[in-house]
Amino acid sequence: GLEELMPRLLPVGDCDLAEDFDPTVPPRTPQEYLKRVQIEAARCPDVVVAQIDPRKLKKKPTVNISISGCQPAPEGYSPTLKWQQQQVANFSAVRQSLNKHRNHWRSQHLDSNVAMPKSEDEEGWKKFCLGERVYSEIDALSDNENLGIDYMKVGFPPLLSIVSRMNQATVTSVLEYLISWFGEKKFTPELGRWLYALLACLEKPLLPEAHSLIRQLARRCSEVRALEESKNEEQISALNLIICLVSRYFDQRDLADEPS
């Protein structure tokens, strides 16, 4: 009956084994090996019951469930379809221009104070893009500091000469670093500029990891937008823009804002 359910893949017929055959010692011939496998299989119980420590089941496991769509915009702040279509057209033009002139901007010399971090340097990229002020969440600034020049404090803008030097692996990595930071922090203009620039550098068709990242980004933007108490129009517009690009340019239509 057992062989009808589990037919032999390596059938073993009658074979002449030595009278002193001992299945506990390493086999010396192919016949001894196959015979030993048969004996071990016959000794296995038909049903095996796992021994579970009930104390480990007392703690309820944490399950993270991600909704498929984005949270709707606050009442009165949902972008119109015309506005979304215009943003997609503008974004497409930016991408075309970037691709056309990428080699030119890549050949331009960087200022001596621009030291691009290595691709795997997560903390270095966060500080490079956001600046020490945003990264360290320093609100008060000294009036004596000329922060418009000290890019280490205010962050380097996504200049074409910088982003043109980033390959797709680096673009995806930096996007992941910034989205991770944004997952627990507030939205800032510095973050918004870099997210837009990195999306403009992202090649289509999307790799699976990039696909997952931009969906995560759109959802996070919708969460921050829904919790925006002051109804800052400039910030809500920036969040609307990122959601629009992810959903309508990168074809994640289930995340799109539906015009009211």
Side-chain angles (χ1 to χ4, degrees), residues 3 6 20-21 23 30 53 58 64 86 88 103 106 121 123 126 131 159 163-164 175 177 186 191 199-200 239 253 255:
E3 293 210 2
M6 300 177 63
D20 60 345
F21 170 66
D53 186 352
K58 291 182 179 180
N64 296 320
Q86 184 61 54
V88 169
N103 290 335
R106 186 182 296 164
D121 185 2
E123 300 306 311
K126 290 176 182 177
L159 302 174
V163 297
S164 294
L175 190 60
Y177 302 151
K186 61 185 180 180
L191 176 64
L199 290 176
L239 295 169
R253 296 306 174 93
L255 303 179

Side-chain angles (χ1 to χ4, degrees), residues 123 126-127 130-140 152-153 181 185-186:
E123 300 306 311
K126 290 176 182 177
K127 293 179 181 179
L130 305 174
E132 294 178 356
R133 177 176 63 86
V134 172
Y135 177 79
S136 303
E137 297 183 297
I138 301 174
D139 294 327
M152 293 303 296
K153 291 189 179 295
W181 185 89
K185 307 293 183 179
K186 61 185 180 180

Side-chain angles (χ1 to χ4, degrees), residues 87-253:
Q87 301 311 313
V88 169
N90 294 343
F91 182 68
S92 179
V94 169
R95 286 172 59 90
Q96 291 176 14
S97 178
L98 176 60
N99 289 332
K100 182 178 180 180
H101 301 290
R102 184 184 300 276
N103 290 335
H104 166 75
W105 288 108
R106 186 182 296 164
S107 65
Q108 300 302 302
H109 294 291
L110 295 175
D111 292 341
S112 58
N113 64 330
V114 181
M116 295 174 62
K118 294 183 179 179
S119 180
E120 65 275 10
D121 185 2
E122 180 173 354
E123 300 306 311
W125 274 109
K126 290 176 182 177
K127 293 179 181 179
F128 183 87
C129 299
L130 305 174
E132 294 178 356
R133 177 176 63 86
V134 172
Y135 177 79
S136 303
E137 297 183 297
I138 301 174
D139 294 327
L141 301 177
S142 171
D143 294 336
N144 296 326
E145 290 181 319
N146 187 351
L147 294 179
I149 297 178
D150 192 347
Y151 288 113
M152 293 303 296
K153 291 189 179 295
V154 300
F156 289 89
L159 302 174
L160 289 173
S161 56
I162 293 177
V163 297
S164 294
R165 284 174 162 79
M166 300 168 66
N167 59 29
Q168 281 299 291
T170 302
V171 170
T172 304
S173 294
V174 177
L175 190 60
E176 180 180 5
Y177 302 151
L178 295 183
I179 292 174
S180 174
W181 185 89
F182 183 34
E184 299 178 354
K185 307 293 183 179
K186 61 185 180 180
F187 185 83
T188 67
E190 295 85 354
L191 176 64
R193 286 192 289 267
W194 268 98
L195 290 175
Y196 187 94
L198 292 171
L199 290 176
C201 294
L202 207 56
E203 294 180 357
K204 295 176 71 174
L206 295 175
L207 295 175
E209 55 268 31
H211 177 272
S212 176
L213 281 173
I214 65 171
R215 290 182 63 84
Q216 180 183 343
L217 172 60
R219 292 193 188 103
R220 177 56 181 164
C221 286
S222 74
E223 292 173 1
V224 173
R225 182 181 63 179
L227 297 173
E228 177 60 40
E229 297 179 354
S230 63
K231 298 298 183 290
N232 183 317
E233 290 191 18
E234 184 175 343
Q235 176 157 307
I236 291 180
S237 180
L239 295 169
N240 285 348
L241 174 59
I242 294 176
I243 295 171
C244 169
L245 298 180
V246 170
S247 61
R248 298 194 180 274
Y249 183 85
F250 290 102
D251 302 317
Q252 308 301 309
R253 296 306 174 93

